[in-house]
Amino acid sequence: LAPLAALTSAILIALIIWVSRQRMSPRSELQLGLKRNEFIAVYQPIIELASGRCIGAEALARWHRPGGAAISPDVFIPLAEDNNLIEQLTERIIRVSAGELGPLLRGNKDLHISINLSSADMASGHFLRVLQEVLPQAGIAPAQIWLEATERSFIDVERARTILDQARARGHPVAIDDFGTGYSNLSLLEALPLDTLKIDKSFVAAIGQDASTSVVVAHIISMANNLGLAIVAEGVETREQESYLVHAQARYAQGWLYARPMSAEKFTSFLQDNART
Ligand code: C2E
Ligand code: CA
Ligand code: CA
Ligand code: CA
């Protein structure tokens, strides 16, 4: 009878959790999720086009809600932003990535992890204090943590410049993310201290589909090359897109053609395979 009682109470507890979650506001649910460490990171390899070598990975947040349906980052990230919780999420992703990939990064100083930042991160700079605490403990060099900020996050350009200057002074490379999707201010590229430009996947998707957009991609790449920025093309899915990008002289690429986002464990074996070939 004991197993039956245990089963019944387990079901009852699951039911209570489920019912209470149904009645929670998105903010409370996010808060609870943060408290319970339900946010994890997956890593998507970034590849050097000329050599095929993996130079690092982008950390992407996932929400593992027990008993709940999967929610895409495109939904929970804006929710966290609107509810003042994004800085806590950024902190969590930094801590998780440093913890999981610390040994890998210590053993390979050429390898990096990219962390996504939102406008609240850019406004407060809290993530810099987190990095300052976490990286020495984990034995990770600042140059191994790249920072990705979108055009949308530069609400206050002066403030953003101050934060990014501090980040770069510490040795963190800085990338402008989703380039081309925001107000695409070309002057932003000169106004801000940047190392890398990530071309949004909507542009990459147009290669071979839409001739005029493909030309824009080539122009963005040549402009970025002229400004001395390294280019990462996002969302590369086909060989056709890849060869266009190689021809246009993009340096790095990221996308399903190479690998989907994966666990730290899978990323470790992905790197071993990548080094062998
Ligand atoms: P993003 O920073 O532009 O990240 C790239 C997105 O493209 C990821 O979506 C990735 O899974 C997806 N992707 C990669 N390769 C391909 C491909 O070949 N084809 C297609 N169709 N998609 C590809 P994901 O993981 O769903 O994240 C969506 C967005 O959520 C991210 O876009 C980023 O803006 C935001 N995000 C994710 N994690 C974090 C985080 O920790 N912090 C912040 N602030 N934002 C995050
Ligand atoms: Ca990104
Ligand atoms: Ca992006
Ligand atoms: Ca994007």
Side-chain angles (χ1 to χ4, degrees):
L1 221 64
L4 192 67
L7 187 68
T8 314
S9 55
I11 291 172
L12 210 65
I13 288 165
L15 199 69
I16 290 166
I17 291 173
W18 184 79
V19 169
S20 59
R21 286 208 165 214
Q22 302 307 302
R23 304 171 54 179
M24 250 182 236
S25 69
R27 183 182 161 82
S28 320
E29 217 190 324
L30 276 166
Q31 257 171 335
L32 193 68
L34 281 162
K35 216 171 96 190
R36 293 190 177 158
N37 293 340
E38 290 172 7
F39 291 91
I40 60 153
V42 286
Y43 306 93
Q44 186 177 33
I46 299 172
I47 306 295
E48 183 177 50
L49 284 164
S51 63
R53 287 279 171 264
C54 176
I55 59 146
E58 176 175 6
L60 294 158
R62 294 289 180 267
W63 189 0
H64 276 204
R65 295 156 76 224
I71 300 184
S72 144
D74 288 323
V75 175
F76 70 74
I77 295 292
L79 214 64
E81 286 171 342
D82 292 345
N83 286 285
N84 260 321
L85 293 168
I86 195 73
E87 287 169 275
Q88 283 181 53
L89 182 64
T90 303
E91 175 165 357
R92 164 84 183 150
I93 297 301
I94 291 171
R95 289 186 188 278
V96 169
S97 305
E100 291 185 320
L101 298 178
L104 206 60
L105 292 166
R106 277 197 295 279
N108 184 351
K109 291 292 174 194
D110 292 332
L111 200 67
H112 83 270
I113 299 299
S114 286
I115 300 288
N116 286 288
L117 301 174
S118 292
S119 54
D121 297 307
M122 294 300 295
S124 77
H126 173 68
F127 70 96
L128 285 174
R129 290 189 288 277
V130 177
L131 287 168
Q132 198 163 29
E133 177 204 323
V134 168
L135 300 188
Q137 286 170 2
I140 300 169
Q144 295 181 281
I145 302 293
W146 295 16
L147 303 169
E148 297 192 1
T150 61
E151 293 166 80
R152 291 181 303 285
S153 74
F154 304 134
I155 295 171
D156 179 345
V157 177
E158 271 320 300
R159 179 71 187 146
R161 194 216 305 270
T162 307
I163 299 285
L164 295 183
D165 275 337
Q166 284 174 20
R168 284 175 101 220
R170 294 233 200 113
H172 297 291
V174 172
I176 184 164
D177 199 2
D178 295 353
F179 188 77
T181 58
Y183 295 98
S184 278
N185 206 330
L186 289 185
S187 59
L188 210 61
L189 289 184
E190 284 182 300
L192 289 168
L194 299 168
D195 302 280
T196 301
L197 182 150
K198 296 191 82 170
I199 300 181
D200 191 68
K201 59 176 178 281
S202 58
F203 286 98
V204 174
I207 296 170
Q209 305 290 319
D210 174 349
S212 56
T213 309
S214 309
V215 172
V216 173
V217 173
H219 278 299
I220 294 175
I221 294 171
S222 94
M223 175 196 67
N225 276 330
N226 286 332
L227 288 169
L229 300 173
I231 294 134
V232 181
E234 301 185 320
V236 179
E237 294 181 359
T238 68
R239 287 288 166 209
E240 186 189 8
Q241 291 165 349
E242 180 186 61
S243 52
Y244 186 93
L245 291 164
V246 169
H247 192 76
Q249 293 185 309
R251 183 143 180 217
Y252 305 115
Q254 185 183 348
W256 295 346
L257 180 62
Y258 313 100
R260 302 227 174 194
M262 59 185 87
S263 68
E265 200 185 336
K266 291 222 172 90
F267 179 57
T268 306
S269 44
F270 175 89
L271 270 179
Q272 282 165 355
D273 292 346
N274 179 263
R276 246 181 259 122
T277 50

